[in-house]
Amino acid sequence: GLAGVLYVMYGWEFLYEAYIYHLVRTDNRHNFSVYFYSLYLQYGQPAGFLVGLGAFLPQIVVQASASLAFHQDIVFCMCLQTLAFVAFNKVCTAQYFSWYACLLPVALSSLKGELRARPLGAVGVAWLLAMLNWLYWAYCLEFKGDNTFFQVWVAGIAFFVVSIALIGCLS
């Protein structure tokens, strides 16, 4: 529908900017992604492009699994899919958190009393601590000029693990 109209209006430029760019994009700047350091070290090389393209495979598998498992509750499914999309994305920055922050209250209300037995509060605190840990190392890199690329990557891995724990706690 709309994509077809925009393609007729703008042609290849629309397709590239709206869809293809996200497949071939490699972001060599620090971010929360577990792929960050590898993409940084291989930026501009064919291997970096392949790592970036390969990052879509786990993301697609997790998205399909969430869809199949939770399609009965569309809001909860959208929240889990968004959490997973952000966690498994090859680029993950702080603004992406607002994508699922707006869905989380509604999704949690659909679970009713099921969360009482789950350690959601502890995982929420761990998520916050993992984010603060990452922000500390990123601050040292950006503002102090320290060579903390490796520490940023390790903090990103910790953040990924906690994000997976959050998804597991909710599902």
Side-chain angles (χ1 to χ4, degrees):
L2 181 59
V5 170
L6 293 172
Y7 176 73
V8 169
M9 292 173 62
Y10 299 102
W12 175 254
E13 182 180 2
F14 163 73
L15 286 179
Y16 181 81
E17 296 294 334
Y19 301 110
I20 298 169
Y21 169 76
H22 297 286
L23 292 174
V24 299
R25 172 187 183 189
T26 54
D27 189 345
N28 68 325
R29 301 305 301 162
H30 63 279
N31 63 74
F32 287 89
S33 173
V34 294
Y35 302 105
F36 147 70
Y37 199 53
S38 178
L39 291 172
Y40 169 73
L41 292 175
Q42 298 173 7
Y43 186 71
Q45 299 174 7
F49 174 76
L50 293 175
V51 168
L53 206 52
F56 284 111
L57 183 60
Q59 194 175 36
I60 290 168
V61 169
V62 171
Q63 293 294 307
S65 300
S67 295
L68 291 172
F70 299 103
H71 67 276
Q72 302 88 354
D73 185 345
I74 192 70
V75 175
F76 182 72
C77 186
M78 286 172 43
C79 184
L80 273 185
Q81 283 190 311
T82 307
L83 277 162
F85 179 84
V86 171
F88 282 85
N89 203 12
K90 65 181 175 179
V91 176
C92 179
T93 59
Q95 74 242 20
Y96 292 6
F97 306 149
S98 65
W99 294 358
Y100 58 79
C102 63
L103 293 169
L104 204 51
V106 180
L108 290 176
S109 71
S110 74
L111 292 177
K112 300 178 182 54
E114 297 175 37
L115 286 176
R116 289 189 196 127
R118 299 180 185 174
L120 186 60
V123 172
V125 169
W127 185 89
L128 182 62
L129 291 173
M131 182 174 44
L132 291 173
N133 180 45
W134 183 92
L135 287 169
Y136 170 76
W137 294 112
Y139 168 81
C140 291
L141 175 67
E142 279 297 314
F143 294 101
K144 295 174 73 179
D146 297 342
N147 183 3
T148 59
F149 284 99
F150 183 75
Q151 291 88 341
V152 167
W153 177 60
V154 170
I157 292 172
F159 186 79
F160 176 75
V161 168
V162 173
S163 295
I164 299 305
L166 178 60
I167 292 167
C169 189
L170 291 172
S171 56

